[in-house]
Amino acid sequence: MAFAVMKLTDAAADRVKAIVDNAGDGASGIRVGIKKGGCAGMEYSIDLVTEANAKDDLIEKNGARVWVAPEAVLYLLGTEMDFEVTTLRSGFTFHNPNQTSACGCGESVELKPADLAALAAAGQPTVRA
């Protein structure tokens, strides 16, 4: 089995496929990254992909394609991406072991780089820089 930076739930994969199907114009998936912003310091970014970047990591599940930006890899190692629908909102959620805090509204997070030594000790494959 190949190593993946992130895991997708079935709900996330279904939503990615729906977004791509509705987007048209040669869309092939989404790209997940991180950017500075919000009161906690960082935000997840999601963009439509029409042309893949060779440096991105590709995650595929049930026909859904998600690329991970290289600058986000160390912050997203071990993350599970989900899609949730609640009474008040619907959207992608990230269950990230590298998250140290979040703002009150949940729109921004504080992330630390993954501890590669801890991943290696746990028997998890690591990413080479």
Side-chain angles (χ1 to χ4, degrees), residues 2 4 6-7 11 13 18 20 24-25 28 31 34 43 48 58 68 80 82 86 90 108 111 119-120 124 126 128:
M6 290 190 335
K7 294 180 183 174
V20 170
D25 294 343
S28 56
R31 184 175 199 243
I34 55 170
E43 298 174 334
L48 199 59
L58 174 61
V68 178
E80 180 183 70
D82 195 8
T86 68
S90 64
S108 67
L111 301 172
L119 287 172
Q124 297 291 322
T126 58
R128 288 187 214 170

Side-chain angles (χ1 to χ4, degrees), residues 32-69:
V32 175
I34 55 170
K35 62 182 181 180
K36 291 185 179 190
C39 50
M42 299 179 112
E43 298 174 334
Y44 296 102
S45 64
I46 299 176
D47 298 298
L48 199 59
V49 172
T50 55
E51 192 172 315
N53 180 339
K55 294 181 180 179
D56 289 351
D57 282 276
L58 174 61
I59 301 154
E60 295 182 284
K61 181 172 183 171
N62 301 338
R65 300 175 85 185
V66 175
W67 283 269
V68 178

